[in-house]
Amino acid sequence: MSQKYSGVLHNRIAVLRAEKGWTQKEVADRLGVSRQTVISMEKNKYTPSLILAFELAELFGKNVNEVFQYDTNKERND
């Protein structure tokens, strides 16, 4: 019996950015990525690397789990 895990990664980047009063460009510049990368992450169309996820969390002064949430959907495959 094996289990298959599939999930969706959600983030609070847009909310945290708004709380700081930063534009997408400002966040991108602080991280050394493009503005399009920030836009894509906010729309959950791009999953950042683990390093970038930790850098985002540090930028906002948060734990990575406060920025990103991974919702799993567990299915059983018999």
Side-chain angles (χ1 to χ4, degrees):
M1 179 170 65
S2 65
Q3 289 184 337
K4 180 179 178 184
Y5 295 92
S6 61
V8 178
L9 188 66
H10 300 282
N11 69 71
R12 297 182 58 236
I13 297 169
V15 172
L16 296 169
R17 180 176 59 75
E19 288 175 359
K20 296 278 189 184
W22 294 340
T23 65
Q24 291 169 329
K25 177 151 179 27
E26 287 173 313
V27 171
D29 290 346
R30 290 169 189 260
L31 293 170
V33 299
S34 70
R35 188 176 67 87
Q36 187 59 44
T37 297
V38 174
I39 292 167
S40 295
M41 285 189 295
E42 287 185 358
K43 292 181 177 184
N44 292 308
K45 293 183 183 268
Y46 172 72
T47 302
S49 69
L50 191 53
I51 292 171
L52 182 54
F54 276 96
E55 288 173 349
L56 272 161
E58 186 175 325
L59 178 66
F60 292 118
K62 303 288 183 186
N63 181 293
V64 73
N65 290 325
E66 294 175 287
V67 179
F68 296 94
Q69 298 79 42
Y70 183 68
D71 294 327
T72 60
N73 178 16
K74 299 178 184 179
E75 294 178 7
R76 278 195 160 175
N77 292 331
D78 295 317

